[in-house]
Amino acid sequence: MKNRTIAVVGGGAACTAFLAAYARRLSGDVAGAAADVIVFEPGKSFGPGIAYAEDADTALLNRPYSAMSVDYGDPGQFRRWLYRQTSAGEGGDPQARRTPRSHFVSRSLFGQYLENVFGQSREDLRLLGAQVTLVPSAVVDLAVESGGAEGSDGHILTTADGERFLADEVVIAIGAIAPSDVYGLAGTAGFVAQPYPLVSSLDQVDPSAEVLVLGAGLTAIDVAVVLADAGQERRITLASRSGSIPDVRTDLGTGELPELLAGARRLLARGSVSLRSIHELVDATLRSGGTSMREALRPYTDAWSAPELMRHRLENPLPGGLAQRCVGALTPFYSELWRSLPEASRRLFLRDHYRTYNCLRNPMPVTNAHRLLGLHEEGRLGFARGITHVAAAAGGGFTATFTDGRTGHYDAVVNAVGRTNNTAAASASSLTSRLVRNGTFVSHPLGGIRVDPGTNQVRGSAGAAFPRLYVLGDLASGEHFHVSSMELVARQAAKVAAQLVPASDRLLVGAVA
């Protein structure tokens, strides 16, 4: 009998986490009912995806290497892989292993790990009876056809080069929607629409150019560091509407904060979840640690400048560090807490508080904070808030305008606003847009698409879940709130793998005497 076939659309980090989880789950199934897998990925390699592709060494992970893995049942997996690489570099002598100089290593080094895990998972699945086929092309269409395995409906996937593939189950793992071209600058000389990979995309920027970077988040910080390294004469400005930059990761503690978690469980058990109750719970934890929510959020509520925030956090790490720890400790409860809030509260949070939350949830490495401050003090890096418009100038370059009436002229503009979960912003030719138009995807009012929160199955227009169509990552954010970190993607991947290799109660013949 022909094996079932699982198609995975997207061959980056989410796909890698899924393959690893599928192999783990399948290896523990006594029935051994392996499905063949087809992976579609238009990029240069399978495993890293855009986020962790080969790039500048100065583009760092924003989490310590000890907190990164594709399997959060084994959170130290990347760390061990990293140590094996450094040990091998010293002739394989484990006594000669050198710990990386920083807790934060390059994104591309994590990408090498992902590529290794992808290859190992592919081999594991082959040994378990599953063939993994790699298709180096993008999927541009997905349709349902009657008559799949065991009489069920199958899915027809069409690639950009016109090939068609049939699969029984499909896992969409395409990540977030590409950054929006907010000011319609695509095609203009001097405009960089997509900054990653940084080394190749920024190579076109003149070493002496005055550069405007749109955005002030982690992507913008990566851009600034790489631009500064490649051009000593450059002056760089990070510009955004709010002017908020990510917090500085100043506390590497990983304790679970049991009182905070117990409080979250009580809120959910009582059904009394509100923004106020979550605020009070976190504030109580901060106060027991010697600070408060007010103190932790002061740089954002009082609209401090970026240099002020970085200096303060580096000199006084407790408030920000403990707040980051609280935000991280609540990770397993995000989805349930989010869905327990009234919809009006969720909208209020996204409008008024999400930016600050995201700055705490995704802080910059200390290394980058020191580097940005140094560049600022040298006069090579500026920060601007209140940007309202950017247009190509008649004589070349670009003119930016700000809410206070200022204007500025720049030789180049780099779009670093970050990816989005708004399906309306997806390219009209993208798979996401096509599936929204044909009704397979239903846009969620809070971002992404409608999914079943327990299984990550796609929900159609009638509200019922498609039993054989799943999504991983940002497309599920409306239901789950925050799903873009490696940890949450890996947990989702394990959840989907569990659906595709259900727990078996069958016994092998002869296994019982």
Side-chain angles (χ1 to χ4, degrees):
M1 182 182 294
K2 181 181 179 297
N3 282 359
R4 290 167 33 251
T5 299
I6 300 169
V8 185
V9 182
C15 169
T16 302
F18 169 74
L19 290 184
Y22 185 59
R24 289 195 306 272
R25 189 85 184 193
L26 191 63
S27 64
D29 176 42
V30 295
D36 290 334
V37 181
I38 308 173
V39 180
F40 300 85
E41 171 53 50
K44 292 182 178 179
S45 60
F46 288 80
I50 293 175
Y52 304 107
E54 184 177 352
D55 211 338
D57 289 341
T58 50
L60 303 178
L61 294 170
N62 70 310
R63 301 190 73 186
Y65 61 79
S66 57
M68 297 290 288
S69 177
V70 296
D71 175 11
Y72 280 81
D74 181 11
Q77 190 184 98
F78 175 51
R79 184 180 200 163
R80 296 196 304 278
W81 178 89
L82 190 62
Y83 286 177
R84 284 198 297 274
Q85 310 318 300
T86 54
S87 174
E90 298 292 342
D93 179 4
Q95 299 301 316
R97 176 188 59 74
R98 290 200 300 258
T99 302
R101 288 178 295 175
S102 167
H103 287 280
F104 302 94
V105 299
S106 69
R107 300 175 69 84
S108 57
L109 192 55
F110 188 70
Q112 292 174 35
Y113 156 76
L114 289 173
E115 195 167 0
N116 179 268
V117 173
F118 185 97
Q120 184 62 60
S121 299
R122 187 185 185 195
E123 175 63 10
D124 289 344
L125 288 170
R126 185 188 69 79
L127 295 172
L128 291 164
Q131 178 180 346
V132 180
T133 302
L134 308 184
V135 180
S137 184
V139 173
V140 296
D141 198 11
L142 172 65
V144 177
E145 179 182 78
S146 298
E150 301 178 358
S152 64
D153 290 341
H155 298 84
I156 301 172
L157 300 98
T158 304
T159 62
D161 48 12
E163 286 194 86
R164 301 175 73 188
F165 298 81
L166 183 64
D168 300 289
E169 289 100 6
V170 176
V171 180
I172 306 289
I174 55 178
I177 296 162
S180 299
D181 179 12
V182 179
Y183 303 113
L185 300 173
T188 306
F191 177 65
V192 178
Q194 166 57 270
Y196 291 111
L198 298 161
V199 169
S200 56
S201 70
L202 301 180
D203 185 57
Q204 60 186 281
V205 181
D206 189 276
S208 60
E210 181 93 2
V211 184
L212 178 68
V213 180
L214 299 178
L218 292 173
T219 299
I221 290 169
D222 282 348
V223 168
V225 171
V226 171
L227 284 173
D229 284 345
Q232 295 296 319
E233 299 175 31
R234 283 187 180 127
R235 176 169 167 77
I236 304 155
T237 301
L238 302 190
S240 65
R241 291 190 178 96
S242 71
S244 296
I245 64 167
D247 213 328
V248 179
R249 188 179 290 276
T250 50
D251 178 11
L252 301 181
T254 57
E256 288 191 343
L257 302 175
E259 288 302 317
L260 177 66
L261 303 191
R265 293 188 187 96
R266 285 194 297 272
L267 289 179
L268 290 167
R270 292 199 304 259
S272 57
V273 179
S274 65
L275 289 178
R276 179 181 291 275
S277 64
I278 296 172
H279 180 284
E280 290 173 348
L281 179 61
V282 175
D283 188 52
T285 304
L286 292 172
R287 289 183 182 279
S288 68
T291 184
S292 68
M293 183 78 90
R294 172 74 183 105
E295 190 59 33
L297 300 185
R298 190 184 298 276
Y300 299 102
T301 57
D302 294 359
W304 289 5
S305 70
E308 284 179 313
L309 181 147
M310 290 186 286
R311 289 192 192 97
H312 177 77
R313 291 302 203 222
L314 292 172
E315 293 169 1
N316 182 24
L318 175 62
L322 188 53
Q324 293 162 25
R325 223 173 131 192
C326 288
V327 169
L330 287 173
T331 296
F333 296 92
Y334 281 170
S335 183
E336 198 172 354
L337 287 170
W338 182 243
R339 293 195 307 277
S340 297
L341 285 169
E343 183 168 343
S345 296
R346 285 182 280 171
R347 290 182 181 277
L348 174 68
F349 182 86
L350 291 176
R351 188 189 71 208
D352 295 345
H353 306 297
Y354 181 78
R355 188 182 304 277
T356 300
Y357 154 82
N358 202 40
C359 288
L360 290 166
R361 169 68 195 179
N362 297 300
M364 74 177 85
V366 174
T367 305
N368 280 346
H370 283 295
R371 185 73 201 285
L372 294 184
L373 274 176
L375 291 170
H376 177 72
E377 289 164 0
E378 292 168 13
R380 298 177 58 200
L381 176 65
F383 301 88
R385 70 178 71 197
I387 190 167
T388 58
H389 191 65
V390 182
F398 302 85
T399 300
T401 57
F402 298 85
T403 52
D404 60 6
R406 289 183 300 115
T407 62
H409 184 80
Y410 303 90
D411 303 305
V413 174
V414 180
N415 188 27
V417 296
R419 289 147 72 85
T420 179
N421 64 358
N422 180 7
T423 57
S427 165
S429 61
S430 68
L431 178 63
T432 298
S433 283
R434 186 180 293 271
L435 294 182
V436 169
R437 288 197 301 271
N438 71 21
T440 303
F441 283 175
V442 177
S443 297
H444 194 291
L446 302 178
I449 63 171
R450 296 278 186 184
V451 302
D452 180 85
T455 62
N456 269 41
Q457 292 172 339
V458 174
R459 285 191 181 277
S461 56
F466 290 103
R468 287 171 292 279
L469 180 59
Y470 304 82
V471 297
L472 296 175
D474 291 81
L475 281 177
S477 59
E479 294 288 353
H480 293 302
F481 172 58
H482 185 108
V483 288
S484 59
S485 74
M486 190 67 240
E487 177 180 356
L488 290 163
V489 167
R491 293 188 188 281
Q492 281 188 23
K495 180 192 297 184
V496 172
Q499 305 299 311
L500 298 177
V501 187
S504 176
D505 59 3
R506 289 170 288 182
L507 297 176
L508 293 175
V509 175
V512 179

